[in-house]
Amino acid sequence: MKDIIVVYPSRNTGMKLRTLIEKAGYHVSHICAHGATALEIAQGKRSGVIVCPFVMSDMSSAELAEALPDGFDVVALSKNGSEQYMGNMLTLAMPLDLSEFLQTIGILASSQSGFTKRSESENDYISKAKEALMSVRGMSELQAHKYLQKVSMNSGKRLLQTAMDILDKLN
């Protein structure tokens, strides 16, 4: 099981998130107020999941995700519904769908290999599936990616397998 780090400027909100996550059976190893602190903690660990606001006082969630070592994923909580995609970052709009939030944490925390670490050929399949969804269903690239993520999480399959399944169905 990967370490879970909660980064929130409000200690009260950080504690509430920890309580939610731990009631679902996962362990939060650290709560901190700044992205830089989370980066320092991550340097001493092999893998983990970081839950943070979309924008922190010292950096954005995208900057944090980009600076993290391999094996770390970020779940960014967006108050204004902003969505952004990076290979190791998922954005969830607030107010949170508690079930989706805990399912996301569970999948990311329990995956042994980096859930979001992919080879070039895997990225090609995912890109082709997004292109197919954009063409057939009229989705934007971001909508297509969010759709792939949601189907992947709901089915418990890796994103690559979900992309391959969608390509099979659409071709």
Side-chain angles (χ1 to χ4, degrees):
M1 188 76 61
K2 293 180 180 178
D3 283 306
I4 299 173
I5 302 167
V6 174
V7 181
Y8 241 85
S10 161
R11 181 146 179 85
N12 188 36
T13 302
M15 296 298 282
K16 285 179 182 178
L17 285 168
R18 179 171 96 180
T19 299
L20 282 173
I21 293 167
E22 289 188 341
K23 277 186 179 179
Y26 306 104
H27 174 69
V28 174
S29 63
H30 296 83
I31 299 175
C32 55
H34 302 291
T37 306
L39 279 174
E40 287 178 26
I41 294 166
Q43 297 304 322
K45 302 197 174 289
R46 292 181 33 163
S47 62
V49 178
I50 296 179
V51 178
C52 65
F54 191 70
V55 177
M56 295 164 277
S57 61
D58 60 342
M59 66 180 69
S60 71
S61 54
E63 290 169 322
L64 174 61
E66 197 170 282
L68 286 167
D70 285 344
F72 277 85
D73 295 303
V74 173
V75 177
L77 308 179
S78 175
K79 285 184 180 179
N80 63 6
S82 293
E83 296 182 348
Q84 188 168 344
Y85 163 70
M86 284 184 62
N88 65 334
M89 184 178 88
L90 301 168
T91 303
L92 297 177
M94 293 185 54
L96 283 177
D97 174 329
L98 187 57
S99 174
E100 180 184 13
F101 173 68
L102 294 174
Q103 185 178 26
T104 300
I105 296 297
I107 289 170
L108 295 175
S110 63
S111 66
Q112 291 300 323
S113 61
F115 182 73
T116 55
K117 189 174 181 175
R118 295 184 278 276
S119 70
E120 192 64 36
S121 65
E122 289 175 324
N123 281 331
D124 287 344
Y125 273 109
I126 293 165
S127 292
K128 287 176 184 172
K130 286 193 291 188
E131 288 171 12
L133 287 167
M134 291 162 58
S135 174
V136 172
R137 296 202 177 160
M139 296 178 172
S140 69
E141 182 177 5
L142 183 58
Q143 289 170 325
H145 188 79
K146 293 290 277 182
Y147 177 80
L148 284 171
Q149 287 175 329
K150 187 167 184 72
V151 171
S152 174
M153 285 184 201
N154 289 342
S155 67
K157 294 180 181 178
R158 292 193 68 216
L159 196 64
L160 172 64
Q161 186 59 53
T162 301
M164 293 169 105
D165 291 349
I166 286 173
L167 284 171
D168 286 344
K169 286 178 189 175
L170 296 177
N171 290 329

